[in-house]
Every structure is written in C-alpha cells, then in structure tokens.
Amino acid sequence: MQSYDTFPSTGIPPAAPPRPGREDAEAALVEHYPRLVRLAHLILPPSLGRHRRVLAAHALVQNSLTSARSRPGPAVPPQRGEPGQGRGPEPVLAWLRERVVSAALRAAARPRWPLGRHPLPAVLGLRLFPGAGGDGELALESALAAAAPEVRAAFALRMLEGLAAQPAALLLATAGVTAPEEALRAADRLRTTVGADAESLLQGAGFDPCTVQARPTDLLRRRHRTRLAALAATVLLAASTAAVLTPRPDANVPAPAPPVTALAVAAARAADPALLVRTPDERWSDTARVDLTAWPARGTRTGDTALLSRALDAWARGTDNGRTGERTSVRVTATPSTPTTPPAAPPRLLFAGQADDSAVVLLHDGDRLVRYAEPLTGQGGAALELARADDADVTTGAAVAVSRTPLGARFLLAPWIDESAVRDLLRPGVPARRLPVTEDGVTDPVPPAPGDCGQVPALQVRSSSRIVENHSFLLADLGELTPAHLTWTPAPGTGAPARQPREATSAAGLAAWSRSACALPDLRGTGVRAVNRWEFAQQTLPERAGRATWTCTRAENWDGRARVEVAREDQDARIRPTPVRSPGPRPLYTAECSRFGQHVLAGAYWTAPSGARYYLAAGSRALTTVTARGPVAATVRGRVLAVRTNATGPVHLTGTVPGGAGELRGWGEVEEGPGGP
C-alpha cells in the first residue's frame, strides 16, 4: 500500500463518471452488488447497530439507481482494468461506486437517515447481522468505529476497491469530503496500525453484509406488542365507527379520547413494574454473555410494586428532553454523554432494597444504568442517577454503587464475584482488608479518598471459577455508578514480545499503581470506564543516578473519548512523577497509548544530584531514532536520548518508526527543580 503523503499529478483530473442508462446501471449493480454493499456497510457508522447497519447498506446500494437515465444515452465503451492501474474500472461501476460512497457519507452524518428515508428492504420478526469474526476482525472493527466516516471511506476505497491515491482522493472530493488528502493519510495510519492483514480481514465474514445470520426478536415482547397493537386497533376502529355514525356533535357530550399511539403504548409498557425484566438467579453461571444482563434481581423489596412504580415514574417523568435538574421533586443527574431519555422498553431490575437511610432501585435498559433513591424518613426529595453501561463486561460490570454517605460508598457486586477486599493503592505492601458482603451482594462502605492523597482506597475482587474467569482485579471508585477498572502494562523487556495490559493485582502491578494513584481523584465525575498505566520505556540516568521510567496513563470513557497523560518517574518513590506536556491540542478521541496507538515519545529536562542539567528523552519499543531540535540539538540511534545542556525552553522532539508510519512527534516538557518537580 503506497503512502498518501503525496498525490502525483498526471495532468487534467479525469471527469466524473458519466451517468449511465438505467439498463446498464441495473446490470452493473446486479453484477457487483455484494462488492458495493460491503463498501457501504464499511462506511456506515457502527452506532446504527448491526441489524440497522446491514439493512441500511442494502438500502443505499439499491437506491443508487434513482438518477440513472430511463433511456440509455450514447454507448460508453467499457474500459476494464485493474483498480489502481493505468486504466480505471468500467464507467458504470465507477458511477455506482461514487453514488454509494456519497450516500453512505451522508447517512453517516445523519445516522437516522438511511432506514427512515428508504422503507425497503424491511425485515419483520428477525434480527440480521454478519457472521462472527476472530480477534483480528474485532480489533479492526473497533479501530474503524473510532475513525471518522471519511477515513473509513478512504480506507475502504484503498483496501477494498484497490484504488490508487489520486483516484481515491478525486472520488472522495466528488462525494463531498472537504479534505480528502487528510482522510487518506489517516487511513494510511490506520492501515499501518492494523497491519498487513487488513485487506484479508475486510474480506472476511465479519464485514460481509450479504452473508448474514438471523435470530428472532424477543418472542415474549413480540406477543405482548401484538396484543397491544390489536387492542389499539380495536380502540381506533371503535372511535372511527362512532365518529362516522354520530350525525352532529353535541356540545354537552365530551370529545372522544385521543387515539392510542405506538409511543404511548411503549411508554406505558416501560413504566409498568409487572413487565420489568428479571433474570433467573443462576443464569450468570451458564451463559456466554457475562455482563449486566446476567444479573438477577436482588434485594428485600423486589416485590414492592409501589416502590418500583415510583422508580419507573421518576425515570419517565423526571427527565425532560435530555436535560438534568429539578423536576417533579426528583433530582436528576447523569454522567457525561449519558442520554437521560425515558426507557423505550421495560428495563431490567437489578436491585430493590434498603441501603443506609434510603430505599434504592437499580435498573438497566441495555445501554444505561439507573439508580433511584428515596429517603426512608419521607423527608427530602428522591434522586435519579443515570450512567452509561453499554458493552460492560466481567470487570466493568462487576460492581454498581448502591449508596453514598460520608463513611463511603456501598456497592452491589456482580453474582460472579466470590471475594472482595479493600486496599490502599499508595501502600502496595500492605495486604488488602476483607470487605464484608450481605447475602444480597451489598458491601460494607468503601472509604472515600481524602483530598490530601493520604490514601487511595480501591476494591480488589476475585471472580468465580464457575465462569472460568477465576482472576482478581482492581476497581477504583471515581464517584459514579460503576467503578473504573485499573490495569497496567509492564515495561518492554529485551527481546521480549510486546506487552499487553494486565490486571494490576500482582506485586509489580500494585507497586506501579502506587506511583500513579494520586492522579485518580482528578478523574472523578468524567465518565471513565477503565484506566491503564503503560510503562513504555525505561532509561538509565546519567552519572549513575539510577533508572527512570516513562509512563503513559490512558483513562477511557464509555463514549470512546480518552484522557492521556505522559510522565517521567525516578526511582525515588518520594519524588512525584514529572508530567510531560502534549505536543499539541489534546483531541477528545485519540488512539494514543492504546492497542491502536502503540508509538509514543517524550522528553523533559532533568537535574542530576551533582547539579548538572540534562535533557532526557525516551520512546516506545518500535522507535529506531530520536532527534531533538531547538535549544537542544542531537540525534541518536535507538529509543533513548540523554544530552548534557544548560539550555532552557521547549525542545522539538521527533522519532522514526519503521514500516511507513512516518515521523512521530514527541511530547514536550515542563520545568522542574533538582531531583524532581
């Protein structure tokens, strides 16, 4: 795959593909239908859901003929050739491809457009989705989901269609992309990150919307909906008949009730406590989906219909078009990026009982967790808290906050948690303290972290061997409904393969997190799902002053955003880590320091115990050279740099990564005093 850094000029750009006749377009569409649907499916956003995304891809391709001429014009001679070579594909296919890419990009900008505007194809009673892929397909799907639509389009044109850089840029520009060259460069970086298997992965079953699996919708809910629809139809028919048979309106007779709408029926069902979804008690031990959907309903008040009705009513009435605040005496709060709309279907009941001085109900609608609490004394208003929980798993769905008091937070543990304890992250050598748990799975209070970072409590839990996931992991309470999962990635060893994030409950992992724990309180209330501490480099300090560790801490949110911090740590545990400045504005969505952003370089000034001043820099394992420009000028082979200098000021730091990834810009520095900041 060639680089996108330059786009060779070959004279006048080719004209847009001519509009073909309808018969030619239909013949080409039938011939290339699977190819075009796969192209549309790859560009459409995964947020549509697998079922809607498959149908939308087929709808876009089938409606690409709308502007073909009903009568064929002058014959266009075929110009067949391999894509990306000297001659382009046949003009009709090129025209269809441009139509599909343009429509898919418009649909990606308005996710509700594809199915709403085109009612066909339609599928009733079934959910369609492509076949399951392996780890490679899942990793590529995650990387594409984080990319912009125009980047996915550029990636598809290059990898699926095999277009060269210039034709791909021209097609993107024709489809309305304002910066096609930048989209192609981003696609090039994505391809480098994924590896050489990207093209074969795209041809796999996981990205084929024409070879799909079918599963039924919820049969029980379908039966209820059928009955409600029949009831609504009967009411409408009766109202219509009465309106026809009544000769004249009577002012003394009240007007008939408005017709029952589908939205009203759905809202009524969602607010009915009798329709709450309740998972069987032992489902969690025999299911391949170990997440919040496997939680049984627990607590002493799961049969309290009045309490459940108040909780559902607060969710339905206490939210107003996504805004939070005071409504109907219910205080509503939500973590960042969490929709506050009422449930569209009956949610799942996780807990209903008493905790401290409140009656608490926990609900889950598939994407969100909801906590409703009302005081037992009757004094004070109720509270409703919403948080995202989509794609929660064994670790991120292992605990939910039930109550908070000055003594700490109580958590409802997942049914697959066998052991629970509390430990201080700042004291890795002190054993964890056992945390008592009630029969319903509610813990004793976990103490909060004080403001002076004197201690940083964390939950240490172990999953049950009944789910073949018998391992322990750390959870940090950041003031939200679900605690954040803490992991760490050790420093690379000489000749060792690339390390992957792992649980931080080992002695080395606990020691590593003891250096970063004081940064956790800064993440409170930001919607963090998981935090990984990556030790991407170790460097021997000049003058035999020990060893420095360079770290990158990535805090990932439920909505895909991430907060990334880079720092240098000395061996002396009494010295706080030295933070390093970002090389530019920090984007909300970034792959830095993740599986898909494994290249990082950072530098900072350092003062030795002797008083001598140095500029230090280190990069991740793949770097081959490091270059410093500005007040400090030096180039070294390898991934560590140490230059003695009396200079001050920002240094322009770059590194070289093999494999066509280009130049890597390094993180900057902050001033610090002798031995540390």
Side-chain angles (χ1 to χ4, degrees):
M1 183 175 181
Q2 76 179 55
S3 172
Y4 300 132
D5 291 339
T6 59
F7 296 87
S9 176
T10 58
I12 300 175
R19 187 173 63 178
R22 181 172 295 276
E23 293 183 0
D24 293 339
E26 289 179 352
L29 186 142
V30 171
E31 179 182 357
H32 301 287
Y33 186 79
R35 169 181 180 177
L36 294 171
V37 174
R38 190 187 294 257
L39 175 62
H41 182 265
L42 189 61
I43 299 173
L44 288 170
S47 59
L48 285 173
R50 294 185 297 175
H51 176 77
R52 292 187 68 237
R53 191 180 179 192
V54 167
L55 294 185
H58 284 272
L60 291 176
V61 174
Q62 293 176 16
N63 285 276
S64 62
L65 299 176
T66 53
S67 63
R69 294 195 302 267
S70 58
R71 294 182 180 179
V76 180
Q79 300 177 9
R80 296 186 180 271
E82 293 296 327
Q85 303 300 323
R87 293 181 298 172
E90 56 180 295
V92 179
L93 173 59
W95 181 83
L96 288 172
R97 180 195 293 138
E98 188 274 326
R99 294 274 301 166
V100 169
V101 171
S102 299
L105 287 174
R106 290 194 303 270
R110 293 178 292 168
R112 294 185 178 274
W113 177 84
L115 292 183
R117 184 171 177 179
H118 300 299
L120 295 177
V123 177
L124 299 178
L126 290 175
R127 308 295 292 176
L128 306 181
F129 50 90
D135 293 340
E137 285 86 350
L138 293 176
L140 178 56
E141 178 72 15
S142 299
L144 291 170
E150 60 270 17
V151 176
R152 293 197 298 268
F155 190 79
L157 291 175
R158 292 288 274 148
M159 303 306 301
L160 277 180
E161 296 297 306
L163 294 185
Q166 187 182 29
L170 290 171
L171 194 155
L172 290 172
T174 304
V177 177
T178 56
E181 294 85 358
E182 183 60 34
L184 287 168
R185 292 189 185 95
D188 190 16
R189 292 191 294 270
L190 178 60
R191 187 266 182 195
T192 302
T193 300
V194 174
D197 297 334
E199 185 173 0
S200 61
L201 292 176
L202 288 178
Q203 299 294 338
F207 294 94
D208 184 5
C210 290
T211 305
V212 297
Q213 299 182 16
R215 293 291 185 273
T217 56
D218 192 320
L219 300 178
L220 181 60
R221 292 184 180 180
R222 188 196 304 175
R223 185 183 307 169
H224 287 308
R225 282 196 292 264
T226 302
R227 293 175 179 174
L228 289 172
L231 176 61
T234 303
V235 172
L236 287 174
L237 179 60
S240 302
T241 304
V244 170
L245 296 179
T246 301
R248 64 177 64 88
D250 190 342
N252 297 321
V253 178
V260 180
T261 65
L263 289 178
V265 171
R269 283 174 46 80
D272 186 350
L275 298 180
L276 283 170
V277 180
R278 299 171 186 252
T279 303
D281 290 347
E282 296 299 317
R283 171 74 58 80
W284 65 270
S285 63
D286 188 21
T287 178
R289 185 175 179 180
V290 185
D291 56 16
L292 291 167
T293 62
W295 281 39
R298 289 174 287 175
T300 59
R301 301 182 66 173
T302 55
D304 190 338
T305 303
L307 173 62
L308 299 178
S309 294
R310 290 194 297 273
L312 292 169
D313 184 68
W315 191 357
R317 298 176 180 272
T319 53
D320 182 19
N321 297 326
R323 296 177 295 188
T324 60
E326 297 281 352
R327 282 182 53 82
T328 64
S329 73
V330 177
R331 186 178 69 257
V332 181
T333 58
T335 57
S337 77
T338 303
T340 58
T341 53
R348 186 181 309 275
L349 177 62
L350 304 183
F351 177 84
Q354 296 180 193
D356 295 314
D357 296 328
S358 298
V360 178
V361 177
L362 294 179
L363 302 168
H364 176 239
D365 72 345
D367 293 324
R368 296 171 295 175
L369 273 170
V370 172
R371 175 184 175 271
Y372 170 80
E374 61 182 28
L376 295 174
T377 61
Q379 299 178 353
L384 189 76
E385 184 176 357
L386 300 95
R388 288 185 62 162
D390 41 324
D391 297 325
D393 55 20
V394 174
T395 56
T396 55
V400 178
V402 175
S403 68
R404 293 186 185 278
T405 67
L407 295 178
R410 296 182 188 269
F411 290 91
L412 178 66
L413 299 181
W416 57 82
I417 297 300
D418 269 357
E419 300 175 10
S420 59
V422 176
R423 73 175 316 122
D424 185 359
L425 293 179
L426 296 181
R427 295 165 179 82
V430 177
R433 173 178 57 85
R434 178 180 172 274
L435 183 64
V437 181
T438 67
E439 292 183 358
D440 289 329
V442 179
T443 69
D444 276 6
V446 177
D452 60 355
C453 195
Q455 63 175 343
V456 181
L459 276 169
Q460 180 170 320
V461 297
R462 176 177 293 277
S463 58
S464 171
S465 59
R466 295 174 64 184
I467 61 172
V468 199
E469 280 280 349
N470 183 13
H471 74 291
S472 60
F473 50 93
L474 293 179
L475 300 172
D477 180 19
L478 300 181
E480 300 177 9
L481 284 181
T482 55
H485 180 208
L486 303 183
T487 58
W488 78 298
T489 306
T494 304
R499 305 291 183 95
Q500 296 297 326
R502 60 198 63 188
E503 302 303 342
T505 51
S506 65
L510 292 172
W513 261 109
S514 68
R515 307 295 302 276
S516 300
C518 284
L520 288 175
D522 295 338
L523 302 174
R524 292 181 64 87
T526 59
V528 172
R529 171 180 182 167
V531 187
N532 181 58
R533 172 195 155 101
W534 175 28
E535 298 175 358
F536 66 86
Q538 289 186 331
Q539 181 178 21
T540 301
L541 295 173
E543 302 183 14
R544 298 182 180 180
R547 180 179 291 268
T549 299
W550 296 82
T551 66
C552 183
T553 303
R554 178 182 174 88
E556 292 191 348
N557 289 26
W558 290 94
D559 60 359
R561 294 179 298 167
R563 177 176 175 177
V564 178
E565 301 288 346
V566 173
R568 192 199 74 241
E569 298 176 354
D570 297 330
Q571 283 183 321
D572 190 347
R574 296 171 299 176
I575 302 175
R576 293 284 299 273
T578 303
V580 184
R581 283 201 297 262
S582 169
R586 297 180 183 178
L588 293 177
Y589 297 89
T590 177
E592 283 185 306
C593 300
S594 72
R595 179 181 178 184
F596 302 104
Q598 299 183 11
H599 306 312
V600 62
L601 171 65
Y605 289 105
W606 173 77
T607 302
S610 66
R613 185 176 173 83
Y614 292 84
Y615 183 78
L616 307 178
S620 51
R621 60 182 296 120
L623 265 70
T624 56
T625 62
V626 177
T627 300
R629 300 184 184 90
V632 178
T635 299
V636 296
R637 283 184 171 272
R639 54 192 186 92
V640 293
L641 177 147
V643 180
R644 184 166 181 172
T645 180
N646 292 321
T648 60
V651 176
H652 182 65
L653 192 63
T654 58
T656 303
V657 180
E663 186 178 77
L664 177 67
R665 187 177 177 187
W667 288 62
E669 78 296 318
V670 295
E671 295 292 336
E672 44 91 5

